[in-house]
Amino acid sequence: MIQRTLGKTNFDIGVIGFGGIPIQRLPEDKAVSIVKLALEKGVNFIDSARAYGDSERLIGLALKGHNKKCFIATKSMSRTYDAMKKDLEISLKNFDCGVIDLYQFHLVKTKGQLDQIMGPDGAYRALKEAQEQGLVKEIGITSHDFDLINYALDTDYFSTIQFPYNIVESQGEALFKKAAKKNIGVIIMKPMAGGALDNGNLAIRYILENPNISVVIPGMDEEKQVEENLNAGINYIPLSEDEKDAIDKIKRELGTKFCRRCGYCLPCPQGIDIPAAFLMEGYFTRYDLTEWAQSRYDALPHKASECIECGACEPRCPYNLQIRDMLKDVALKLEKR
């Protein structure tokens, strides 16, 4: 597989990593076999999170007896010192390892959240202490917000960033270029646009065309997905003109109905977190993570059905999405009760 260096970590990794979100819904033996197959095929970067159900523990089981170095990355939505210490302890137990290579702040949405993380009683202090104790090697950050990651890149606190990038979400390219100049590793999530794309080989090769990207982490829960996704990095072929035309067609077709989670639609007068509602609908519909997505949608303080169709959001959307109609669809799927 093609190898790239994960920024200042100086760790050489295969360009295709393993995204650990979907295995949480599989039986234990099936999940372990999927991870082991990926390892056998050359994957040496695995990403999980405390929020991904049983994912960490399942990956830990698969890694037992694996005799090649694998870069373990996980993340936590904890924002305080005490909460992060507890999450780190759980992660170490789940992976059954003495050190986690990369621990990331998961889904940071606002500068206020980042300020809390970086404060005296924030989660960053817990990870820095763990780093000094040899429990964590590197610290990273993940977000769907361009401005938040752009700000984080200027702080020099992080070894890696994780951000969405795919055929229909290219807004991060400026961030990746900036990160490369600062020698910060770039991890790509949502390569299949939350399941909206169905040609994994084409989608991943599109991402690999960008030299500023370190690794892409598609979620995999079937053997055929492992084979198809890894083949894109093992037998990499540059995109042909016909494939570029196909990509342009996909952009045109999905562009009018796909949320990039840029957040320009906010604030909603009714308090609806519009991008989060669309994100959970994507997980519910396309990832077959119905219970996981439903529980997170249920936790949102304001639901899609609270939309009064004022239309304040739509003129702000740079992609001209029909947000009001899309919110009706979310309510129909996730508020059936």
PDB file of all heavy atoms in Angstrom, residues 131-166:
ATOM      1  N   GLN A 131       0.466  12.255  28.146  1.00  0.00           N
ATOM      2  CA  GLN A 131       1.583  12.233  27.205  1.00  0.00           C
ATOM      3  C   GLN A 131       2.920  12.194  27.955  1.00  0.00           C
ATOM      4  O   GLN A 131       3.829  11.432  27.605  1.00  0.00           O
ATOM      5  CB  GLN A 131       1.513  13.475  26.309  1.00  0.00           C
ATOM      6  CG  GLN A 131       2.387  13.432  25.075  1.00  0.00           C
ATOM      7  CD  GLN A 131       2.163  14.646  24.190  1.00  0.00           C
ATOM      8  OE1 GLN A 131       2.095  15.779  24.669  1.00  0.00           O
ATOM      9  NE2 GLN A 131       2.042  14.422  22.894  1.00  0.00           N
ATOM     10  N   GLU A 132       3.024  12.974  29.010  1.00  0.00           N
ATOM     11  CA  GLU A 132       4.241  12.994  29.824  1.00  0.00           C
ATOM     12  C   GLU A 132       4.460  11.665  30.539  1.00  0.00           C
ATOM     13  O   GLU A 132       5.601  11.265  30.801  1.00  0.00           O
ATOM     14  CB  GLU A 132       4.147  14.139  30.840  1.00  0.00           C
ATOM     15  CG  GLU A 132       4.197  15.525  30.191  1.00  0.00           C
ATOM     16  CD  GLU A 132       3.770  16.631  31.151  1.00  0.00           C
ATOM     17  OE1 GLU A 132       3.454  16.302  32.328  1.00  0.00           O
ATOM     18  OE2 GLU A 132       3.736  17.801  30.740  1.00  0.00           O
ATOM     19  N   GLN A 133       3.360  10.963  30.840  1.00  0.00           N
ATOM     20  CA  GLN A 133       3.445   9.659  31.507  1.00  0.00           C
ATOM     21  C   GLN A 133       3.643   8.507  30.523  1.00  0.00           C
ATOM     22  O   GLN A 133       3.767   7.350  30.938  1.00  0.00           O
ATOM     23  CB  GLN A 133       2.161   9.422  32.310  1.00  0.00           C
ATOM     24  CG  GLN A 133       1.958  10.406  33.459  1.00  0.00           C
ATOM     25  CD  GLN A 133       0.534  10.395  33.992  1.00  0.00           C
ATOM     26  OE1 GLN A 133      -0.291   9.586  33.562  1.00  0.00           O
ATOM     27  NE2 GLN A 133       0.228  11.301  34.912  1.00  0.00           N
ATOM     28  N   GLY A 134       3.646   8.809  29.256  1.00  0.00           N
ATOM     29  CA  GLY A 134       3.832   7.772  28.242  1.00  0.00           C
ATOM     30  C   GLY A 134       2.583   6.986  27.911  1.00  0.00           C
ATOM     31  O   GLY A 134       2.673   5.931  27.272  1.00  0.00           O
ATOM     32  N   LEU A 135       1.410   7.496  28.292  1.00  0.00           N
ATOM     33  CA  LEU A 135       0.157   6.801  28.004  1.00  0.00           C
ATOM     34  C   LEU A 135      -0.433   7.210  26.654  1.00  0.00           C
ATOM     35  O   LEU A 135      -1.229   6.482  26.070  1.00  0.00           O
ATOM     36  CB  LEU A 135      -0.870   7.087  29.105  1.00  0.00           C
ATOM     37  CG  LEU A 135      -0.475   6.672  30.529  1.00  0.00           C
ATOM     38  CD1 LEU A 135      -1.534   7.100  31.523  1.00  0.00           C
ATOM     39  CD2 LEU A 135      -0.251   5.165  30.588  1.00  0.00           C
ATOM     40  N   VAL A 136      -0.062   8.384  26.204  1.00  0.00           N
ATOM     41  CA  VAL A 136      -0.522   8.922  24.923  1.00  0.00           C
ATOM     42  C   VAL A 136       0.691   9.495  24.195  1.00  0.00           C
ATOM     43  O   VAL A 136       1.506  10.192  24.808  1.00  0.00           O
ATOM     44  CB  VAL A 136      -1.589  10.035  25.135  1.00  0.00           C
ATOM     45  CG1 VAL A 136      -1.853  10.789  23.833  1.00  0.00           C
ATOM     46  CG2 VAL A 136      -2.874   9.445  25.675  1.00  0.00           C
ATOM     47  N   LYS A 137       0.804   9.181  22.921  1.00  0.00           N
ATOM     48  CA  LYS A 137       1.943   9.702  22.156  1.00  0.00           C
ATOM     49  C   LYS A 137       1.646  11.064  21.516  1.00  0.00           C
ATOM     50  O   LYS A 137       2.458  11.976  21.586  1.00  0.00           O
ATOM     51  CB  LYS A 137       2.357   8.698  21.082  1.00  0.00           C
ATOM     52  CG  LYS A 137       3.022   7.446  21.623  1.00  0.00           C
ATOM     53  CD  LYS A 137       3.499   6.546  20.486  1.00  0.00           C
ATOM     54  CE  LYS A 137       4.182   5.297  21.033  1.00  0.00           C
ATOM     55  NZ  LYS A 137       4.631   4.392  19.936  1.00  0.00           N
ATOM     56  N   GLU A 138       0.494  11.176  20.848  1.00  0.00           N
ATOM     57  CA  GLU A 138       0.169  12.400  20.109  1.00  0.00           C
ATOM     58  C   GLU A 138      -1.253  12.846  20.433  1.00  0.00           C
ATOM     59  O   GLU A 138      -2.104  12.037  20.838  1.00  0.00           O
ATOM     60  CB  GLU A 138       0.289  12.173  18.593  1.00  0.00           C
ATOM     61  CG  GLU A 138       1.631  11.612  18.142  1.00  0.00           C
ATOM     62  CD  GLU A 138       2.777  12.614  18.222  1.00  0.00           C
ATOM     63  OE1 GLU A 138       2.499  13.819  18.422  1.00  0.00           O
ATOM     64  OE2 GLU A 138       3.940  12.193  18.099  1.00  0.00           O
ATOM     65  N   ILE A 139      -1.521  14.146  20.225  1.00  0.00           N
ATOM     66  CA  ILE A 139      -2.828  14.728  20.499  1.00  0.00           C
ATOM     67  C   ILE A 139      -3.354  15.376  19.223  1.00  0.00           C
ATOM     68  O   ILE A 139      -2.648  16.114  18.544  1.00  0.00           O
ATOM     69  CB  ILE A 139      -2.739  15.767  21.633  1.00  0.00           C
ATOM     70  CG1 ILE A 139      -2.231  15.110  22.927  1.00  0.00           C
ATOM     71  CG2 ILE A 139      -4.095  16.431  21.867  1.00  0.00           C
ATOM     72  CD1 ILE A 139      -1.925  16.087  24.043  1.00  0.00           C
ATOM     73  N   GLY A 140      -4.632  15.076  18.903  1.00  0.00           N
ATOM     74  CA  GLY A 140      -5.237  15.623  17.695  1.00  0.00           C
ATOM     75  C   GLY A 140      -6.615  16.190  17.965  1.00  0.00           C
ATOM     76  O   GLY A 140      -7.132  16.147  19.090  1.00  0.00           O
ATOM     77  N   ILE A 141      -7.233  16.717  16.913  1.00  0.00           N
ATOM     78  CA  ILE A 141      -8.554  17.328  17.029  1.00  0.00           C
ATOM     79  C   ILE A 141      -9.377  16.974  15.803  1.00  0.00           C
ATOM     80  O   ILE A 141      -8.852  16.864  14.693  1.00  0.00           O
ATOM     81  CB  ILE A 141      -8.436  18.863  17.197  1.00  0.00           C
ATOM     82  CG1 ILE A 141      -9.812  19.483  17.464  1.00  0.00           C
ATOM     83  CG2 ILE A 141      -7.760  19.498  15.989  1.00  0.00           C
ATOM     84  CD1 ILE A 141      -9.732  20.953  17.881  1.00  0.00           C
ATOM     85  N   THR A 142     -10.686  16.767  15.995  1.00  0.00           N
ATOM     86  CA  THR A 142     -11.596  16.497  14.891  1.00  0.00           C
ATOM     87  C   THR A 142     -12.750  17.488  14.945  1.00  0.00           C
ATOM     88  O   THR A 142     -13.177  17.912  16.023  1.00  0.00           O
ATOM     89  CB  THR A 142     -12.161  15.062  14.918  1.00  0.00           C
ATOM     90  OG1 THR A 142     -13.349  15.019  15.712  1.00  0.00           O
ATOM     91  CG2 THR A 142     -11.149  14.075  15.459  1.00  0.00           C
ATOM     92  N   SER A 143     -13.251  17.857  13.773  1.00  0.00           N
ATOM     93  CA  SER A 143     -14.378  18.778  13.693  1.00  0.00           C
ATOM     94  C   SER A 143     -14.949  18.745  12.285  1.00  0.00           C
ATOM     95  O   SER A 143     -14.273  18.343  11.329  1.00  0.00           O
ATOM     96  CB  SER A 143     -13.930  20.208  14.040  1.00  0.00           C
ATOM     97  OG  SER A 143     -15.021  21.114  13.977  1.00  0.00           O
ATOM     98  N   HIS A 144     -16.203  19.194  12.166  1.00  0.00           N
ATOM     99  CA  HIS A 144     -16.805  19.410  10.858  1.00  0.00           C
ATOM    100  C   HIS A 144     -16.792  20.895  10.496  1.00  0.00           C
ATOM    101  O   HIS A 144     -17.298  21.272   9.440  1.00  0.00           O
ATOM    102  CB  HIS A 144     -18.257  18.921  10.847  1.00  0.00           C
ATOM    103  CG  HIS A 144     -18.383  17.440  10.962  1.00  0.00           C
ATOM    104  ND1 HIS A 144     -19.112  16.826  11.966  1.00  0.00           N
ATOM    105  CD2 HIS A 144     -17.872  16.441  10.224  1.00  0.00           C
ATOM    106  CE1 HIS A 144     -19.050  15.519  11.821  1.00  0.00           C
ATOM    107  NE2 HIS A 144     -18.302  15.260  10.779  1.00  0.00           N
ATOM    108  N   ASP A 145     -16.252  21.723  11.379  1.00  0.00           N
ATOM    109  CA  ASP A 145     -16.317  23.171  11.215  1.00  0.00           C
ATOM    110  C   ASP A 145     -15.004  23.718  10.654  1.00  0.00           C
ATOM    111  O   ASP A 145     -13.948  23.583  11.282  1.00  0.00           O
ATOM    112  CB  ASP A 145     -16.642  23.835  12.553  1.00  0.00           C
ATOM    113  CG  ASP A 145     -16.892  25.324  12.406  1.00  0.00           C
ATOM    114  OD1 ASP A 145     -15.908  26.088  12.417  1.00  0.00           O
ATOM    115  OD2 ASP A 145     -18.064  25.725  12.268  1.00  0.00           O
ATOM    116  N   PHE A 146     -15.058  24.329   9.482  1.00  0.00           N
ATOM    117  CA  PHE A 146     -13.857  24.863   8.815  1.00  0.00           C
ATOM    118  C   PHE A 146     -13.144  25.878   9.693  1.00  0.00           C
ATOM    119  O   PHE A 146     -11.926  25.812   9.886  1.00  0.00           O
ATOM    120  CB  PHE A 146     -14.266  25.497   7.476  1.00  0.00           C
ATOM    121  CG  PHE A 146     -13.121  26.082   6.690  1.00  0.00           C
ATOM    122  CD1 PHE A 146     -12.538  25.370   5.658  1.00  0.00           C
ATOM    123  CD2 PHE A 146     -12.615  27.348   6.988  1.00  0.00           C
ATOM    124  CE1 PHE A 146     -11.473  25.908   4.922  1.00  0.00           C
ATOM    125  CE2 PHE A 146     -11.555  27.894   6.281  1.00  0.00           C
ATOM    126  CZ  PHE A 146     -10.984  27.160   5.240  1.00  0.00           C
ATOM    127  N   ASP A 147     -13.898  26.864  10.205  1.00  0.00           N
ATOM    128  CA  ASP A 147     -13.273  27.941  10.968  1.00  0.00           C
ATOM    129  C   ASP A 147     -12.624  27.422  12.243  1.00  0.00           C
ATOM    130  O   ASP A 147     -11.561  27.918  12.653  1.00  0.00           O
ATOM    131  CB  ASP A 147     -14.309  29.017  11.306  1.00  0.00           C
ATOM    132  CG  ASP A 147     -14.800  29.761  10.065  1.00  0.00           C
ATOM    133  OD1 ASP A 147     -14.036  29.838   9.086  1.00  0.00           O
ATOM    134  OD2 ASP A 147     -15.939  30.252  10.077  1.00  0.00           O
ATOM    135  N   LEU A 148     -13.231  26.435  12.874  1.00  0.00           N
ATOM    136  CA  LEU A 148     -12.671  25.872  14.108  1.00  0.00           C
ATOM    137  C   LEU A 148     -11.337  25.199  13.835  1.00  0.00           C
ATOM    138  O   LEU A 148     -10.352  25.421  14.552  1.00  0.00           O
ATOM    139  CB  LEU A 148     -13.672  24.894  14.732  1.00  0.00           C
ATOM    140  CG  LEU A 148     -13.415  24.318  16.126  1.00  0.00           C
ATOM    141  CD1 LEU A 148     -12.370  23.235  16.134  1.00  0.00           C
ATOM    142  CD2 LEU A 148     -13.065  25.405  17.109  1.00  0.00           C
ATOM    143  N   ILE A 149     -11.270  24.384  12.778  1.00  0.00           N
ATOM    144  CA  ILE A 149     -10.011  23.715  12.437  1.00  0.00           C
ATOM    145  C   ILE A 149      -8.971  24.723  11.978  1.00  0.00           C
ATOM    146  O   ILE A 149      -7.779  24.604  12.314  1.00  0.00           O
ATOM    147  CB  ILE A 149     -10.242  22.638  11.358  1.00  0.00           C
ATOM    148  CG1 ILE A 149     -11.045  21.475  11.943  1.00  0.00           C
ATOM    149  CG2 ILE A 149      -8.912  22.123  10.807  1.00  0.00           C
ATOM    150  CD1 ILE A 149     -10.322  20.671  13.007  1.00  0.00           C
ATOM    151  N   ASN A 150      -9.403  25.723  11.253  1.00  0.00           N
ATOM    152  CA  ASN A 150      -8.465  26.766  10.807  1.00  0.00           C
ATOM    153  C   ASN A 150      -7.836  27.459  12.015  1.00  0.00           C
ATOM    154  O   ASN A 150      -6.621  27.713  12.042  1.00  0.00           O
ATOM    155  CB  ASN A 150      -9.205  27.775   9.930  1.00  0.00           C
ATOM    156  CG  ASN A 150      -8.264  28.730   9.224  1.00  0.00           C
ATOM    157  OD1 ASN A 150      -7.254  28.319   8.646  1.00  0.00           O
ATOM    158  ND2 ASN A 150      -8.590  30.012   9.268  1.00  0.00           N
ATOM    159  N   TYR A 151      -8.646  27.748  13.014  1.00  0.00           N
ATOM    160  CA  TYR A 151      -8.139  28.347  14.243  1.00  0.00           C
ATOM    161  C   TYR A 151      -7.210  27.384  14.975  1.00  0.00           C
ATOM    162  O   TYR A 151      -6.127  27.777  15.451  1.00  0.00           O
ATOM    163  CB  TYR A 151      -9.312  28.740  15.143  1.00  0.00           C
ATOM    164  CG  TYR A 151      -8.897  29.263  16.500  1.00  0.00           C
ATOM    165  CD1 TYR A 151      -8.453  30.565  16.659  1.00  0.00           C
ATOM    166  CD2 TYR A 151      -8.944  28.433  17.623  1.00  0.00           C
ATOM    167  CE1 TYR A 151      -8.065  31.041  17.906  1.00  0.00           C
ATOM    168  CE2 TYR A 151      -8.569  28.897  18.871  1.00  0.00           C
ATOM    169  CZ  TYR A 151      -8.127  30.196  19.004  1.00  0.00           C
ATOM    170  OH  TYR A 151      -7.727  30.655  20.247  1.00  0.00           O
ATOM    171  N   ALA A 152      -7.604  26.128  15.059  1.00  0.00           N
ATOM    172  CA  ALA A 152      -6.800  25.132  15.764  1.00  0.00           C
ATOM    173  C   ALA A 152      -5.423  24.973  15.109  1.00  0.00           C
ATOM    174  O   ALA A 152      -4.418  24.741  15.804  1.00  0.00           O
ATOM    175  CB  ALA A 152      -7.524  23.790  15.785  1.00  0.00           C
ATOM    176  N   LEU A 153      -5.370  25.086  13.794  1.00  0.00           N
ATOM    177  CA  LEU A 153      -4.093  24.958  13.092  1.00  0.00           C
ATOM    178  C   LEU A 153      -3.114  26.063  13.482  1.00  0.00           C
ATOM    179  O   LEU A 153      -1.898  25.889  13.367  1.00  0.00           O
ATOM    180  CB  LEU A 153      -4.317  24.979  11.576  1.00  0.00           C
ATOM    181  CG  LEU A 153      -4.895  23.705  10.963  1.00  0.00           C
ATOM    182  CD1 LEU A 153      -5.289  23.943   9.508  1.00  0.00           C
ATOM    183  CD2 LEU A 153      -3.894  22.557  11.049  1.00  0.00           C
ATOM    184  N   ASP A 154      -3.621  27.175  13.948  1.00  0.00           N
ATOM    185  CA  ASP A 154      -2.756  28.287  14.346  1.00  0.00           C
ATOM    186  C   ASP A 154      -2.261  28.172  15.781  1.00  0.00           C
ATOM    187  O   ASP A 154      -1.422  28.968  16.206  1.00  0.00           O
ATOM    188  CB  ASP A 154      -3.505  29.621  14.180  1.00  0.00           C
ATOM    189  CG  ASP A 154      -3.723  29.987  12.723  1.00  0.00           C
ATOM    190  OD1 ASP A 154      -2.888  29.611  11.879  1.00  0.00           O
ATOM    191  OD2 ASP A 154      -4.742  30.649  12.427  1.00  0.00           O
ATOM    192  N   THR A 155      -2.759  27.205  16.534  1.00  0.00           N
ATOM    193  CA  THR A 155      -2.406  27.114  17.950  1.00  0.00           C
ATOM    194  C   THR A 155      -1.143  26.302  18.203  1.00  0.00           C
ATOM    195  O   THR A 155      -0.527  26.432  19.257  1.00  0.00           O
ATOM    196  CB  THR A 155      -3.547  26.462  18.753  1.00  0.00           C
ATOM    197  OG1 THR A 155      -3.699  25.094  18.346  1.00  0.00           O
ATOM    198  CG2 THR A 155      -4.862  27.211  18.537  1.00  0.00           C
ATOM    199  N   ASP A 156      -0.800  25.426  17.269  1.00  0.00           N
ATOM    200  CA  ASP A 156       0.353  24.521  17.426  1.00  0.00           C
ATOM    201  C   ASP A 156       0.196  23.556  18.598  1.00  0.00           C
ATOM    202  O   ASP A 156       1.172  23.054  19.140  1.00  0.00           O
ATOM    203  CB  ASP A 156       1.659  25.324  17.595  1.00  0.00           C
ATOM    204  CG  ASP A 156       2.047  26.053  16.318  1.00  0.00           C
ATOM    205  OD1 ASP A 156       1.780  25.521  15.219  1.00  0.00           O
ATOM    206  OD2 ASP A 156       2.606  27.157  16.412  1.00  0.00           O
ATOM    207  N   TYR A 157      -1.038  23.271  18.997  1.00  0.00           N
ATOM    208  CA  TYR A 157      -1.282  22.331  20.081  1.00  0.00           C
ATOM    209  C   TYR A 157      -1.477  20.901  19.580  1.00  0.00           C
ATOM    210  O   TYR A 157      -1.444  19.966  20.377  1.00  0.00           O
ATOM    211  CB  TYR A 157      -2.544  22.738  20.855  1.00  0.00           C
ATOM    212  CG  TYR A 157      -2.411  23.990  21.676  1.00  0.00           C
ATOM    213  CD1 TYR A 157      -3.425  24.954  21.677  1.00  0.00           C
ATOM    214  CD2 TYR A 157      -1.282  24.221  22.461  1.00  0.00           C
ATOM    215  CE1 TYR A 157      -3.320  26.107  22.446  1.00  0.00           C
ATOM    216  CE2 TYR A 157      -1.168  25.371  23.219  1.00  0.00           C
ATOM    217  CZ  TYR A 157      -2.192  26.319  23.208  1.00  0.00           C
ATOM    218  OH  TYR A 157      -2.074  27.445  23.949  1.00  0.00           O
ATOM    219  N   PHE A 158      -1.690  20.734  18.287  1.00  0.00           N
ATOM    220  CA  PHE A 158      -2.139  19.448  17.776  1.00  0.00           C
ATOM    221  C   PHE A 158      -1.198  18.873  16.721  1.00  0.00           C
ATOM    222  O   PHE A 158      -0.647  19.595  15.902  1.00  0.00           O
ATOM    223  CB  PHE A 158      -3.543  19.583  17.194  1.00  0.00           C
ATOM    224  CG  PHE A 158      -4.517  20.212  18.146  1.00  0.00           C
ATOM    225  CD1 PHE A 158      -4.947  21.519  17.961  1.00  0.00           C
ATOM    226  CD2 PHE A 158      -4.970  19.511  19.256  1.00  0.00           C
ATOM    227  CE1 PHE A 158      -5.827  22.110  18.857  1.00  0.00           C
ATOM    228  CE2 PHE A 158      -5.847  20.093  20.153  1.00  0.00           C
ATOM    229  CZ  PHE A 158      -6.279  21.401  19.957  1.00  0.00           C
ATOM    230  N   SER A 159      -1.048  17.550  16.767  1.00  0.00           N
ATOM    231  CA  SER A 159      -0.223  16.852  15.786  1.00  0.00           C
ATOM    232  C   SER A 159      -1.013  16.470  14.544  1.00  0.00           C
ATOM    233  O   SER A 159      -0.426  16.239  13.483  1.00  0.00           O
ATOM    234  CB  SER A 159       0.385  15.583  16.399  1.00  0.00           C
ATOM    235  OG  SER A 159       1.227  15.891  17.483  1.00  0.00           O
ATOM    236  N   THR A 160      -2.345  16.361  14.692  1.00  0.00           N
ATOM    237  CA  THR A 160      -3.196  15.960  13.577  1.00  0.00           C
ATOM    238  C   THR A 160      -4.513  16.720  13.607  1.00  0.00           C
ATOM    239  O   THR A 160      -4.949  17.197  14.655  1.00  0.00           O
ATOM    240  CB  THR A 160      -3.528  14.453  13.618  1.00  0.00           C
ATOM    241  OG1 THR A 160      -4.302  14.171  14.777  1.00  0.00           O
ATOM    242  CG2 THR A 160      -2.267  13.600  13.605  1.00  0.00           C
ATOM    243  N   ILE A 161      -5.127  16.804  12.430  1.00  0.00           N
ATOM    244  CA  ILE A 161      -6.513  17.249  12.331  1.00  0.00           C
ATOM    245  C   ILE A 161      -7.300  16.159  11.616  1.00  0.00           C
ATOM    246  O   ILE A 161      -6.751  15.394  10.830  1.00  0.00           O
ATOM    247  CB  ILE A 161      -6.660  18.579  11.569  1.00  0.00           C
ATOM    248  CG1 ILE A 161      -6.129  18.438  10.131  1.00  0.00           C
ATOM    249  CG2 ILE A 161      -5.974  19.705  12.306  1.00  0.00           C
ATOM    250  CD1 ILE A 161      -6.484  19.607   9.216  1.00  0.00           C
ATOM    251  N   GLN A 162      -8.595  16.073  11.911  1.00  0.00           N
ATOM    252  CA  GLN A 162      -9.475  15.151  11.203  1.00  0.00           C
ATOM    253  C   GLN A 162     -10.685  15.944  10.726  1.00  0.00           C
ATOM    254  O   GLN A 162     -11.334  16.644  11.517  1.00  0.00           O
ATOM    255  CB  GLN A 162      -9.906  13.993  12.113  1.00  0.00           C
ATOM    256  CG  GLN A 162     -10.690  12.918  11.376  1.00  0.00           C
ATOM    257  CD  GLN A 162     -11.004  11.703  12.236  1.00  0.00           C
ATOM    258  OE1 GLN A 162     -12.080  11.112  12.125  1.00  0.00           O
ATOM    259  NE2 GLN A 162     -10.066  11.314  13.101  1.00  0.00           N
ATOM    260  N   PHE A 163     -10.984  15.821   9.410  1.00  0.00           N
ATOM    261  CA  PHE A 163     -11.995  16.679   8.795  1.00  0.00           C
ATOM    262  C   PHE A 163     -12.651  15.932   7.647  1.00  0.00           C
ATOM    263  O   PHE A 163     -12.022  15.095   7.007  1.00  0.00           O
ATOM    264  CB  PHE A 163     -11.319  17.960   8.269  1.00  0.00           C
ATOM    265  CG  PHE A 163     -12.259  19.093   7.966  1.00  0.00           C
ATOM    266  CD1 PHE A 163     -12.784  19.867   8.979  1.00  0.00           C
ATOM    267  CD2 PHE A 163     -12.606  19.389   6.652  1.00  0.00           C
ATOM    268  CE1 PHE A 163     -13.647  20.927   8.703  1.00  0.00           C
ATOM    269  CE2 PHE A 163     -13.465  20.438   6.353  1.00  0.00           C
ATOM    270  CZ  PHE A 163     -13.994  21.219   7.386  1.00  0.00           C
ATOM    271  N   PRO A 164     -13.941  16.231   7.342  1.00  0.00           N
ATOM    272  CA  PRO A 164     -14.592  15.548   6.215  1.00  0.00           C
ATOM    273  C   PRO A 164     -14.015  15.999   4.871  1.00  0.00           C
ATOM    274  O   PRO A 164     -13.688  17.171   4.684  1.00  0.00           O
ATOM    275  CB  PRO A 164     -16.060  15.989   6.330  1.00  0.00           C
ATOM    276  CG  PRO A 164     -16.211  16.586   7.685  1.00  0.00           C
ATOM    277  CD  PRO A 164     -14.876  17.116   8.056  1.00  0.00           C
ATOM    278  N   TYR A 165     -13.925  15.055   3.938  1.00  0.00           N
ATOM    279  CA  TYR A 165     -13.497  15.380   2.571  1.00  0.00           C
ATOM    280  C   TYR A 165     -13.935  14.248   1.665  1.00  0.00           C
ATOM    281  O   TYR A 165     -13.695  13.071   1.958  1.00  0.00           O
ATOM    282  CB  TYR A 165     -11.975  15.535   2.516  1.00  0.00           C
ATOM    283  CG  TYR A 165     -11.421  15.939   1.157  1.00  0.00           C
ATOM    284  CD1 TYR A 165     -11.842  17.104   0.539  1.00  0.00           C
ATOM    285  CD2 TYR A 165     -10.469  15.152   0.526  1.00  0.00           C
ATOM    286  CE1 TYR A 165     -11.312  17.482  -0.686  1.00  0.00           C
ATOM    287  CE2 TYR A 165      -9.930  15.525  -0.700  1.00  0.00           C
ATOM    288  CZ  TYR A 165     -10.363  16.699  -1.301  1.00  0.00           C
ATOM    289  OH  TYR A 165      -9.844  17.065  -2.514  1.00  0.00           O
ATOM    290  N   ASN A 166     -14.610  14.612   0.596  1.00  0.00           N
ATOM    291  CA  ASN A 166     -15.065  13.619  -0.375  1.00  0.00           C
ATOM    292  C   ASN A 166     -15.467  14.330  -1.660  1.00  0.00           C
ATOM    293  O   ASN A 166     -15.287  15.550  -1.782  1.00  0.00           O
ATOM    294  CB  ASN A 166     -16.223  12.791   0.205  1.00  0.00           C
ATOM    295  CG  ASN A 166     -17.343  13.664   0.733  1.00  0.00           C
ATOM    296  OD1 ASN A 166     -17.957  14.419  -0.018  1.00  0.00           O
ATOM    297  ND2 ASN A 166     -17.585  13.587   2.047  1.00  0.00           N
TER     298      ASN A 166
END
